[in-house]
Amino acid sequence: MKTRNLISITDLSKGEILDLITTAQEFERNPNQRLLEGKVVASLFFEPSTRTRLSFETAVNRLGGRVIGFSDASTSSQSKGESLKDTIMMVSNYADLIVMRHPLMGAARYASEISRVPIINAGDGANQHPTQTMLDLYTIQQTQGHLDNLTITMVGDLKYGRTVHSLLEAMHHFNPRFNFVACDVLQMPGQYKQFCREQGIPYTETTEFSSDIINQSDIIYMTRVQRERFSDMMEYERVKNLYTLTASMLQGGKPTMRVLHPLPRVTEIAQDVDDTPWAYYFEQARNGLYARQAIICRALGINV
Ligand code: CP
């Protein structure tokens, strides 16, 4: 059995992404399969989470495995000064797989270089969130029927938003077109725009969330302005409420268009959007279970 880390979405080829989607479809049909009998999965969350942690833990439970770990690092020996290296060395003595979220960019890659068992990155600072991307891709495929030639509008915190960074990189396999909508201080970082140019991916960049942009979109990917990434709270207060999607803004949207959001949301999607046919973010979060079941099996080398 070949075990495998998942640190960045770029660790996956196009073929592997499509295989994971197929496996996730199988888990959506039948989520209860005892494929992890006798396996222990460590769930180490050094940053808060609702969806990622609970969907991973549900995935393990539905596959017949067991979960150890913590959801609050202050209850771990990190609070006594233990290093990440020593924590990973210890936990890889106990578990068959480690799922880790950490506030520092690169922490998951570092952990994978130390660990004796595979590491799945459940988010590392503003860097990557590859398992979110797999559920996003699964959801896009589910709603559009395919992944190719789509116009994806990303809105909000494009600077620190690890979900948009990972999604942008993953979509390069599928001939996308992007609209980046963000205020001056939260624009898509240069390295990702450079990546688009190198890959021949067309993109627009604007501060205005216009009806033209909404009406041409296949996917609107809203993101939260992340308070926890700001060192200057005055700046956070200035930009936190600049973009709020409302139901009335969607009225000219394509019937097939869907609004996604990695969640949690604060003010960026008004509650009245929830009742429109374009809202799909709660179904998207549900898909996290199936995508993560597929990712766990890949990590442990289990054929489904
Ligand atoms: N989308 C996401 O990562 O949500 P949580 O922070 O609740 O895990």
Side-chain angles (χ1 to χ4, degrees):
M1 279 198 315
K2 184 167 179 260
T3 60
R4 282 171 287 198
N5 299 308
L6 180 57
I7 307 301
S8 164
I9 197 67
T10 55
D11 295 344
L12 300 175
S13 66
K14 180 178 181 180
E16 286 175 305
I17 287 172
L18 295 174
D19 284 349
L20 281 170
I21 289 174
T22 303
T23 307
Q25 285 167 336
E26 164 58 25
F27 283 123
E28 182 165 12
R29 283 189 290 273
N30 180 11
N32 299 307
Q33 304 187 39
R34 301 198 73 75
L35 296 166
L36 293 189
E37 200 92 61
K39 299 286 186 197
V40 175
V41 175
S43 167
L44 309 185
F45 278 72
F46 293 88
E47 260 194 344
S49 169
T50 296
R51 279 146 291 275
T52 310
R53 186 174 69 81
L54 294 180
S55 62
F56 261 119
E57 295 186 8
T58 305
V60 175
N61 281 308
R62 288 198 180 277
L63 295 173
R66 293 179 185 215
V67 179
I68 60 168
F70 50 80
S71 57
D72 177 355
S74 70
T75 65
S76 79
S77 285
Q78 180 188 253
S79 62
K80 302 177 208 162
E82 186 163 57
S83 66
L84 178 61
K85 176 183 174 185
D86 288 5
T87 303
I88 295 298
M89 290 292 284
M90 289 309 101
V91 176
S92 63
N93 284 332
Y94 309 139
D96 300 289
L97 171 67
I98 296 174
V99 176
M100 185 179 86
R101 171 171 287 186
H102 199 282
L104 291 180
M105 291 170 75
R109 182 74 66 196
Y110 175 67
S112 73
E113 288 162 7
I114 295 160
S115 178
R116 283 187 280 268
V117 300
I119 300 281
I120 296 177
N121 181 7
D124 62 328
N127 190 31
Q128 285 272 327
H129 196 349
T131 70
Q132 175 72 44
T133 302
M134 277 313 308
L135 78 90
D136 292 344
L137 293 172
Y138 184 76
T139 304
I140 294 170
Q141 161 83 36
Q142 187 175 64
T143 60
Q144 307 297 310
H146 59 89
L147 292 168
D148 298 301
N149 308 316
L150 297 171
T151 297
I152 299 181
T153 296
M154 297 175 163
V155 185
D157 179 357
L158 307 189
K159 179 178 180 183
Y160 301 114
R162 56 195 175 197
T163 63
V164 289
H165 301 160
S166 291
L167 182 60
L168 181 153
E169 290 183 323
M171 284 304 298
H172 93 273
H173 295 296
F174 305 103
N175 195 34
R177 179 181 180 85
F178 291 114
N179 298 310
F180 301 138
V181 181
C183 65
D184 52 352
V185 297
L186 292 176
Q187 294 195 349
M188 185 62 80
Q191 71 191 86
Y192 294 103
K193 290 184 279 187
Q194 175 73 16
F195 177 81
C196 287
R197 290 193 290 274
E198 285 167 5
Q199 299 291 331
I201 297 171
Y203 68 87
T204 68
E205 191 169 34
T206 176
T207 56
E208 197 189 340
F209 192 17
S210 67
S211 55
D212 273 359
I213 283 185
I214 290 172
N215 297 351
Q216 68 181 240
S217 300
D218 297 300
I219 296 291
I220 296 179
Y221 196 95
M222 298 298 297
T223 63
R224 174 176 66 95
V225 175
Q226 302 171 87
R227 187 177 188 279
E228 62 273 29
R229 307 282 178 234
F230 282 77
S231 50
D232 179 348
M233 281 305 123
M234 296 281 283
E235 186 153 270
Y236 169 71
E237 291 296 327
R238 182 172 72 78
V239 301
K240 68 179 185 184
N241 290 328
L242 289 181
Y243 301 105
T244 301
L245 183 65
T246 63
S248 65
M249 292 165 69
L250 292 166
Q251 296 311 312
K254 296 182 189 180
T256 53
M257 184 263 282
R258 289 294 176 269
V259 177
L260 304 186
H261 190 312
L263 303 178
R265 74 170 151 180
V266 187
T267 56
E268 57 280 1
I269 300 180
Q271 302 275 336
D272 65 0
V273 177
D274 298 358
D275 300 323
T276 71
W278 294 285
Y280 210 74
Y281 25 91
F282 296 124
E283 293 88 345
Q284 176 189 5
R286 185 183 61 214
N287 287 338
L289 169 61
Y290 316 126
R292 289 180 173 122
Q293 286 182 301
I295 288 164
I296 289 168
C297 288
R298 173 188 178 273
L300 289 171
I302 294 169
N303 289 323
V304 181

